[in-house]
Amino acid sequence: MKADAACLFILWKDGSKSNGRGQKAITASTTPVTENRQFGSKMTDSKYFTTTKKGEIFELKAELNSDKKEKKKEAVKKVIASMTVGKDVSALFPDVVNCMQTDNLELKKLVYLYLMNYAKSQPDMAIMAVNTFVKDCEDPNPLIRALAVRTMGCIRVDKITEYLCEPLRKCLKDEDPYVRKTAAVCVAKLHDINAQLVEDQGFLDTLKDLISDSNPMVVANAVAALSEIAESHPNSNLLDLNPQTINKLLTALNECTEWGQIFILDCLANYTPRDDRESQSICERVTPRLSHANSAVVLSAVKVLMKFMEMLPKDLDYYGTLLKKLAPPLVTLLSAEPELQYVALRNINLIVQRRPEILKHEMKVFFVKYNDPIYVKLEKLDIMIRLASQANIAQVLAELKEYATEVDVDFVRKAVRAIGRCAIKVEQSAERCVSTLLDLIQTKVNYVVQEAIVVIKDIFRKYPNKYESVIATLCENLDSLDEPEARAAMIWIVGEYAERIDNADELLESFLEGFHDESTQVQLQLLTAIVKLFLKKPTETQELVQQVLSLATQDSDNPDLRDRGYIYWRLLSTDPVAAKEVVLAEKPLISEETDLIEPTLLEELICHIGTLASVYHKPPSAFVEGSRGVQHKRLPGSTGSGESVESPDTGSAAGVSEAPPAVIPSQGDLLGDLLNLDLTPTTTGPPPPPASSGMQLGAMDLLGGGLDSLMGDESEPPPIPLRTDTPQSPQLPHQSPSPPDYSPTEVGPRDHAGLLGGDLGGGPAIGTGFGAPPATMPASFNVPVSGGLDDLFDLGGGVGMAMGAFNPPKTVWLPAMKAKGLEISGTFVRRAGVIQMEMTLTNKAMSVMTDFAIQFNRNSFGLAPAGPLQVLSPLSPNQSIEAVLPLSTVGPVMKMEPLNNLQVAVKNNIDVFYFSCQYPISMLFAEDGKMDRQVFLATWKDIPNDNESQFQIKDCHLNSDAASNKLQGSNIFTIAKRTVEGQDMLYQSMKLTNGIWVLAELRVQAGNPNYTISLKCRAPEVSQCVFQNYETVLKN
């Protein structure tokens, strides 16, 4: 490996170049470091990286202790080279530290680099360097002063941190601006190591004073440091921005480097002007940044202007001027290399959704070039559709028609779909779009034809009874359709307009011949289409409808198909008029834009233009480590414009039973962990224990297998009805009705028990064999009374039976807008010792979803799926399905924040989606959590008092016995109860699945709705979660 030794410290040379959060715009061009490179330019240092001699450490030790300065410097270079290639040279620590006492700047930098790398593993030895650091902080050379304070800030050793305070205080007030700007960044580093120390020493106030510094780079670094600290402490109000401060920042903006400008612009974006005049004033001073050569500066300026424009009245002349000024810099970004173009396009996509008028005259710059990478082409296509209007639709359609003849199949498909989206968005262009699609169908290119038919189906749904003249052309291409989506679209068209197609029955019958070979999507569409045809032409299609109903109900294994078949069967047999009203009901028109970002999320993303959030189109909390410090930003309200800006919902204090955050709070390397997960259905892990009622745990459909297994039938279950005979052919409207009988005629005692205990969600029954076993109290406690805690076993009352576990209601974990139409809501339950994740999966997209799999990230208690996610059939559009996933507690463990946070990845045929949810910790309370009374007493005394936490449970109106019974249902067992001066004291124990015991003392005062609970545990981190669980159970 060849490298110039001078490059080794470039990576840490200027700490001000990164905010350490991984969020800074990736579009910024890098600034070459030119200062202090004088010692590496005369010769190559590659020789230091080629030695692999034995006994090298001993030779280096001797050289490091040499009296000759040149030999000593050569030795340190060799040490740094060895360290760079991964060799362990920590044994040389004292020898290298001895080399610090030198006037040679080159040697000092190399020694400091070594110290930063090894100080953490040798903290006691690192103390030796403190005196030199302190001395260097008073060196006449400002470069050495800055180097010393920067290095001390990078050494994350507590023992050294306390010695850093005095030198840092001096450097913050140094006469040289280079030292001050370095010290400003050092405060942020020190705050990350020991926040309390920084606050006690008054460094934050000094940092605020630096915002008024005469040097613009000092101001920029002070802003960067305060912003960094404020991110991790969002409620600290460190950056108390006011008009005077803003004026200082705007003054510094014109003179500092591009990195400094980015920091200052990001800080300005967090300010809310008092009125539209101040907003306009700031916009006028920020606008020149739009012409900067650095694309990160441009995007940061756009972010500030987009935010402050919300405050400007739309009838203001300056508002129109600002709109015109925003377009050229965004267009200029598209002349860069493809990677930067992509970042710019992702940001433009957000801007166009918020303010399409900015780029409404710039359609041509988004036309695709032949040599654009596919990711740039697709982004441009998306923006073209968003900008499409009546004024430019002719231009857009001509371009899209050209794209449909490209060689890239995926791009061609997107282009054809884009034509359909234009027709739906711009009503005046619909006829021209249909004409363009017909021209494409005439090309007879298979995938173009199929995509065009899918698109025309959507146009028919938007404009019913308007373009049906093209149906004949579509029917000519019937034989060439081989993709499920295209076949289903064509079948829908034939069924919807059956009365206008003379040979509709022949066309549908041709599909029916290979019914069992078709995909579920096609089968469902074919069933509905033939029923529609029958209701429109009953006399001609009787045999056809009988045939399809028979195929769907008797010969199909797909529960969705059987369900729909039986519903149609019963409708047609009993009430043909009702059937017509249901099946041929007027359908709602499809929406113009189905892919717009949800307004509140869009507002937040606009506030993060120029960062990774704007590229991912996800809020920072979805992918930034330590998301608890990430504030959710919103655009300010508009004044004088007459339009209201949607404000975010304000939620109440979060509890366990409330909806979890919609995005994943990252913990550890979350994105890496989840992306690297194997999402194929797992076959390892302990299987869930069998349920005592004979039911299978897992996902079951209501009409498919769930009720059949409740009936106790061990043979192959019949399609739907709860009887063993198969219904005969359906009686059609003009025949005597004889629908299949759905009543349970052969239910035995065990079956009744199962049905009564059945859970309509498809999960296990809550009844005999499924609840937690009731824990009864011993008849007496023969323990000597000795006062204090010992008295608790002199019981004044018994403990009743458990009331049954509280299971929180289902909440939405994954909204459809964040998962391409897949919505997941769910809850956690514990039944018969088995933890289960009960979910409802809803498809709100327009395509079928299949191939579901699930995986968890590492979590605090090792929760992991005990088997694959059982979704027994494809999930059709607008369909919901219940799934029950048994969980084990033997997965990999990693402490989460909060402790009961669970991060989940769900895969289907469309994509992988991520969400997080919080499980009630009572799911982890074991059934054997009742501690022996003597063991309880000994354990309570043995756990240190420091581990005791006390909480208040307010507004609870249960007496002590009712509370005890309710808690016992969640495996919180009462060991004893005593009454002192009218106050009931319950002593309780619970055991987590990982073996941790939690002991509790619950005090209940008659007539007082506020309870006091004391918790003791050897792992006090769980106390907060246990308290929340008490509160949730007792109040529900």
Side-chain angles (χ1 to χ4, degrees):
M1 171 180 171
K2 295 185 178 181
D4 187 86
C7 296
L8 293 172
F9 62 89
I10 288 175
L11 296 175
W12 56 272
K13 187 166 184 58
D14 192 347
S16 68
K17 290 191 179 179
S18 170
N19 68 351
R21 282 273 168 195
Q23 255 204 94
K24 189 49 62 190
I26 61 175
T27 56
S29 62
T30 55
T31 307
V33 178
T34 56
E35 59 183 351
N36 302 322
R37 292 286 307 274
Q38 70 272 20
F39 62 88
S41 57
K42 294 181 181 178
M43 56 174 286
T44 176
D45 288 335
S46 59
K47 62 182 181 180
Y48 299 116
F49 294 90
T50 57
T51 56
T52 53
K53 296 184 295 183
K54 290 184 178 179
E56 190 178 3
I57 296 291
F58 298 104
E59 290 183 14
L60 287 172
K61 194 178 184 75
E63 291 176 17
L64 287 168
N65 292 306
S66 171
D67 295 332
K68 297 179 180 177
K69 288 186 178 180
E70 204 57 42
K71 201 168 184 179
K72 190 179 285 190
K73 186 167 71 173
E74 291 292 307
V76 174
K77 285 187 178 183
K78 290 177 185 176
V79 171
I80 296 296
S82 299
M83 181 181 81
T84 305
V85 297
K87 292 181 185 175
D88 183 12
V89 285
S90 57
L92 297 171
F93 197 94
D95 304 288
V96 175
V97 170
N98 286 337
C99 298
M100 286 179 71
Q101 302 290 343
T102 176
D103 297 329
N104 188 302
L105 184 59
E106 176 186 358
L107 181 56
K108 193 177 284 288
K109 285 187 175 184
L110 292 171
V111 173
Y112 279 179
L113 184 61
Y114 178 91
L115 273 172
M116 282 192 290
N117 196 45
Y118 283 117
K120 200 162 187 179
S121 59
Q122 306 262 0
D124 295 328
M125 297 294 292
I127 294 292
M128 294 166 53
V130 167
N131 287 335
T132 308
F133 280 132
V134 174
K135 183 180 172 186
D136 284 352
C137 285
E138 297 177 358
D139 194 275
N141 187 340
L143 293 178
I144 291 180
R145 296 201 298 275
L147 178 65
V149 77
R150 177 191 295 123
T151 308
M152 288 182 79
C154 292
I155 297 176
R156 302 177 65 86
V157 176
D158 290 334
K159 293 180 180 178
I160 287 186
T161 304
E162 55 197 59
Y163 294 103
L164 173 62
C165 296
E166 205 50 47
L168 180 58
R169 184 175 284 105
K170 290 180 181 177
C171 289
L172 282 167
K173 298 179 180 177
D174 197 279
E175 59 184 16
D176 192 284
Y178 181 76
V179 180
R180 294 199 300 276
K181 86 178 184 69
T182 307
V185 176
C186 190
V187 172
K189 293 177 181 176
L190 183 60
H191 189 275
D192 192 40
I193 301 169
N194 191 336
Q196 192 60 47
L197 180 68
V198 170
E199 292 170 19
D200 294 344
Q201 293 287 336
F203 289 141
L204 294 180
D205 294 329
T206 311
L207 212 50
K208 290 176 187 176
D209 293 340
L210 288 182
I211 291 179
S212 306
D213 197 277
S214 58
N215 186 283
M217 271 314 298
V218 176
V219 175
N221 277 21
V223 168
L226 285 169
S227 300
E228 174 77 7
I229 295 168
E231 275 185 20
S232 57
H233 293 73
N235 299 320
S236 58
N237 198 26
L238 284 175
L239 276 164
D240 186 16
L241 299 175
N242 53 54
Q244 292 74 30
T245 309
I246 293 297
N247 189 48
K248 292 171 186 173
L249 295 181
L250 288 167
T251 304
L253 185 64
N254 297 320
E255 301 175 34
C256 60
T257 65
E258 54 197 18
W259 292 100
Q261 290 180 35
I262 293 167
F263 289 131
I264 291 174
L265 287 168
D266 286 349
C267 181
L268 288 172
N270 294 324
Y271 176 62
T272 303
R274 293 168 301 178
D275 51 35
D276 56 340
R277 290 186 63 185
E278 187 184 6
S279 183
Q280 180 177 341
S281 172
I282 294 172
C283 287
E284 287 171 348
R285 296 178 71 178
V286 168
T287 304
R289 300 302 104 209
L290 292 173
S291 57
H292 200 284
N294 188 314
S295 49
V297 176
V298 173
L299 285 176
S300 292
V302 169
K303 170 170 60 182
V304 174
L305 296 174
M306 283 291 292
K307 183 172 181 181
F308 289 175
M309 279 175 72
E310 298 289 333
M311 302 280 291
L312 299 176
K314 284 194 172 182
D315 53 0
L316 194 69
D317 290 341
Y318 181 71
Y319 181 86
T321 307
L322 195 54
L323 286 178
K324 291 176 184 174
K325 286 183 178 179
L326 276 169
L330 293 173
V331 170
T332 304
L333 292 177
L334 298 181
S335 60
E337 52 267 31
E339 293 80 7
L340 285 185
Q341 280 189 56
Y342 178 74
V343 172
L345 287 166
R346 293 292 281 177
N347 281 273
I348 289 170
N349 200 324
L350 297 174
I351 293 166
V352 163
Q353 288 187 55
R354 184 72 189 176
R355 298 201 177 277
E357 61 270 26
I358 292 175
L359 291 164
K360 66 181 179 181
H361 300 304
E362 305 292 342
M363 176 65 83
K364 282 189 177 180
V365 299
F366 299 106
F367 287 173
V368 171
K369 297 174 185 172
Y370 77 95
N371 58 347
D372 280 339
I374 184 65
Y375 55 87
V376 170
K377 286 181 177 179
L378 295 179
E379 281 301 317
K380 284 185 173 180
L381 203 57
D382 201 33
I383 294 170
M384 281 173 64
I385 296 161
R386 298 198 192 286
L387 291 175
S389 63
Q390 192 174 352
N392 57 25
I393 193 68
Q395 224 179 358
V396 172
L397 278 179
E399 195 72 13
L400 291 175
K401 189 175 180 182
E402 191 70 29
Y403 299 161
T405 61
E406 290 270 355
V407 292
D408 189 317
V409 176
D410 287 336
F411 182 54
V412 170
R413 288 179 182 275
K414 294 277 186 184
V416 175
R417 296 225 172 189
I419 294 171
R421 283 175 63 188
C422 288
I424 291 168
K425 183 180 180 186
V426 186
E427 186 171 351
Q428 295 84 349
S429 73
E431 192 165 341
R432 186 179 290 180
C433 291
V434 172
S435 175
T436 304
L437 289 168
L438 288 176
D439 290 344
L440 292 173
I441 288 174
Q442 297 304 327
T443 64
K444 302 296 181 184
V445 177
N446 187 265
Y447 55 85
V448 174
V449 171
Q450 303 199 80
E451 210 62 48
I453 287 175
V454 173
V455 163
I456 287 173
K457 182 200 78 171
D458 290 339
I459 293 174
F460 283 171
R461 290 187 61 195
K462 176 68 176 175
Y463 309 109
N465 305 315
K466 198 168 182 183
Y467 300 107
E468 283 69 32
S469 57
V470 307
I471 292 175
T473 308
L474 302 182
C475 291
E476 291 172 9
N477 296 278
L478 209 58
D479 297 333
S480 65
L481 305 180
D482 54 16
E483 295 175 8
E485 193 175 3
R487 289 172 73 83
M490 191 68 227
I491 291 168
W492 182 89
I493 292 169
V494 173
E496 189 69 14
Y497 300 102
E499 71 278 10
R500 305 186 189 187
I501 304 173
D502 295 334
N503 62 337
D505 52 343
E506 294 175 17
L507 295 176
L508 293 177
E509 194 171 6
S510 66
F511 284 104
L512 204 56
E513 291 169 3
F515 185 79
H516 290 303
D517 298 327
E518 299 284 4
S519 69
T520 303
Q521 182 182 7
V522 176
Q523 289 176 335
L524 289 165
Q525 199 61 262
L526 188 56
L527 172 61
T528 302
I530 291 176
V531 171
K532 285 180 184 176
L533 176 65
F534 172 76
L535 291 170
K536 292 173 180 179
K537 301 178 180 180
T539 54
E540 303 167 28
T541 55
Q542 180 180 326
E543 288 185 12
L544 191 61
V545 77
Q546 285 186 349
Q547 187 182 352
V548 76
L549 287 173
S550 177
L551 287 169
T553 57
Q554 297 175 29
D555 301 340
S556 173
D557 294 329
N558 187 308
D560 295 329
L561 191 60
R562 287 184 318 205
D563 293 352
R564 191 179 292 190
Y566 275 113
I567 289 168
Y568 286 150
W569 192 328
R570 172 58 73 92
L571 272 171
L572 295 173
S573 303
T574 54
D575 192 347
V577 177
K580 205 162 189 174
E581 289 176 358
V582 171
V583 180
L584 300 181
E586 189 176 338
K587 296 164 190 64
L589 303 181
I590 61 174
S591 62
E592 292 181 10
E593 286 286 358
T594 56
D595 59 341
L596 286 176
I597 295 175
E598 190 268 329
T600 51
L601 175 60
L602 180 62
E603 282 190 15
E604 183 171 1
L605 293 178
I606 291 288
C607 294
H608 290 292
I609 283 176
T611 71
L612 281 178
S614 65
V615 179
Y616 291 154
H617 286 187
K618 294 178 181 178
S621 52
F623 58 89
V624 176
E625 183 181 351
S627 59
R628 54 181 165 61
V630 176
Q631 291 177 285
H632 293 280
K633 299 180 180 179
R634 291 287 180 270
L635 294 174
S638 174
T639 60
S641 62
E643 79 171 355
S644 62
V645 178
E646 184 177 326
S647 61
D649 296 333
T650 54
S652 59
V656 175
S657 61
E658 287 191 21
V663 290
I664 304 179
S666 305
Q667 182 75 22
D669 188 9
L670 165 63
L671 199 60
D673 287 342
L674 288 179
L675 289 175
N676 291 327
L677 291 176
D678 180 11
L679 288 169
T680 52
T682 178
T683 55
T684 58
S692 56
S693 72
M695 272 183 62
Q696 291 295 318
L697 293 178
M700 293 181 297
D701 64 285
L702 255 176
L703 299 180
L707 292 179
D708 297 320
S709 55
L710 281 172
M711 294 301 299
D713 185 5
E714 298 298 324
S715 61
E716 183 69 18
I720 296 181
L722 299 177
R723 50 180 289 169
T724 55
D725 58 323
T726 305
Q728 303 303 314
S729 298
Q731 302 298 317
L732 299 171
H734 59 281
Q735 299 174 323
S736 58
S738 176
D741 185 1
Y742 283 78
S743 58
T745 56
E746 300 173 10
V747 181
R750 184 169 74 86
D751 304 315
H752 281 302
L755 283 168
L756 291 172
D759 178 5
L760 286 181
I766 305 175
T768 306
F770 281 89
T776 56
M777 292 298 292
S780 63
F781 290 86
N782 298 318
V783 179
V785 177
S786 58
L789 190 61
D790 302 297
D791 292 348
L792 72 92
F793 296 112
D794 185 18
L795 296 178
V799 179
M801 300 291 287
M803 296 171 66
F806 164 73
N807 293 324
K810 286 184 179 177
T811 54
V812 176
W813 287 338
L814 182 65
M817 66 180 181
K818 297 185 183 297
K820 300 182 180 177
L822 174 64
E823 180 179 281
I824 300 178
S825 56
T827 186
F828 292 88
V829 299
R830 184 182 182 96
R831 297 196 176 105
V834 179
I835 305 169
Q836 294 174 326
M837 196 176 185
E838 293 190 349
M839 293 175 283
T840 302
L841 281 65
T842 303
N843 182 357
K844 295 189 176 180
M846 298 176 68
S847 57
V848 174
M849 296 181 181
T850 58
D851 305 327
F852 284 90
I854 193 166
Q855 188 63 281
F856 296 170
N857 197 12
R858 293 174 293 169
N859 54 81
S860 304
F861 295 95
L863 282 179
L869 178 61
Q870 298 286 351
V871 179
L872 299 180
S873 59
L875 191 57
S876 301
N878 298 317
Q879 183 192 4
S880 295
I881 197 166
E882 303 292 331
V884 178
L885 181 69
L887 306 181
S888 70
T889 53
V890 295
V893 175
M894 179 178 76
K895 186 178 177 183
M896 303 297 288
E897 183 63 44
L899 210 60
N900 58 336
N901 196 30
L902 182 65
Q903 295 163 346
V904 184
V906 172
K907 181 184 86 71
N908 61 14
N909 60 317
I910 295 172
D911 205 345
V912 181
F913 307 106
Y914 307 105
F915 66 89
S916 73
C917 52
Q918 293 179 18
Y919 48 88
I921 202 167
S922 59
M923 296 301 106
L924 305 171
F925 292 164
E927 281 69 17
D928 60 348
K930 186 174 181 184
M931 189 178 275
D932 179 80
R933 58 187 184 277
Q934 294 181 1
V935 176
F936 181 95
L937 180 61
T939 307
W940 184 280
K941 289 181 175 179
D942 189 46
I943 296 175
N945 289 333
D946 291 343
N947 285 20
E948 183 173 354
S949 304
Q950 195 169 83
F951 304 94
Q952 288 281 331
I953 302 174
K954 297 182 178 180
D955 299 323
C956 196
H957 300 280
L958 300 173
N959 62 34
S960 59
D961 289 338
S964 176
N965 294 345
K966 202 165 191 179
L967 292 167
Q968 191 164 317
S970 296
N971 292 340
I972 300 175
F973 299 101
T974 301
I975 309 298
K977 170 187 167 185
R978 67 171 179 157
T979 304
V980 179
E981 296 178 356
Q983 186 179 55
D984 291 339
M985 303 175 77
L986 301 178
Y987 295 91
Q988 298 171 319
S989 71
M990 60 223 82
K991 177 186 173 186
L992 295 167
T993 51
N994 60 0
I996 294 176
W997 285 89
V998 183
L999 310 185
E1001 178 190 69
L1002 183 65
R1003 300 177 191 173
V1004 181
Q1005 179 82 43
N1008 184 353
N1010 299 335
Y1011 298 174
T1012 302
I1013 182 171
S1014 298
L1015 297 171
K1016 263 196 170 188
C1017 180
R1018 297 193 190 279
E1021 299 92 342
V1022 305
S1023 296
Q1024 181 66 33
C1025 288
V1026 173
F1027 157 66
Q1028 289 174 351
N1029 189 74
Y1030 263 84
E1031 199 168 38
T1032 303
V1033 171
L1034 291 174
K1035 289 186 178 183
N1036 287 279

